[in-house]
Amino acid sequence: VMEEKKEVLAEVSKIELSAEFDGLRKRLEGVLKENINACIRIGNRLEITRPVALAMLNELSRGILSIGGTVRIRKEVLSFRPIVVKSICEIEINGGTLEFQALGAADEEDIKRETRIYHDALGTAESRSLKRLLEEVVGEDFINKVLVPILNSQNKKVK
């Protein structure tokens, strides 16, 4: 009976966490929509900028803290030609640790009109890795679901 009770409590805990992460995804979408003008066009894509990524990471941290967890974000530069950045997010919650990793890359072609090529390529790779990391954490490609319709409407206006 005790084992069954523990299993039921574990299942209830999973359901509650799932609901919390769904709410977190919606809050992150809200942050993105509030900062949509800070997104930039690179080639044929609309991408989040570092300030947007940081605002979303702050919301992620606040959301995890609000349910009793902790968040640690690390970034590593893996290569310089092209620049590849790995972002790592560790979430400790309910006595367990979740780890998510994502890569982002950029080369000179991505930022060819910029004057600080290395600096800007590093920032682009970092933002791309953080975007993927946020999507890994919530388990959905929610950023593109917001950005693609905006890009499509911009393309229609240009034509």
Side-chain angles (χ1 to χ4, degrees), residues 119-139:
H119 174 82
D120 292 335
L122 183 59
T124 298
E126 178 186 19
S127 295
R128 288 174 176 170
S129 72
L130 291 174
K131 171 197 175 279
R132 290 184 179 114
L133 184 69
L134 288 161
E135 292 174 337
E136 287 284 328
V137 170
V138 299

Side-chain angles (χ1 to χ4, degrees), residues 41-77:
R41 189 180 194 130
I42 297 179
N44 293 331
R45 300 177 58 158
L46 197 57
E47 296 193 24
I48 63 172
T49 57
R50 188 169 189 271
V52 176
L54 292 175
M56 294 174 77
L57 283 174
N58 285 335
E59 183 62 34
L60 170 70
S61 295
R62 282 193 297 271
I64 297 300
L65 287 171
S66 75
I67 57 174
T70 60
V71 177
R72 192 171 104 186
I73 305 288
R74 295 187 328 258
K75 291 172 255 165
E76 300 172 15
V77 177

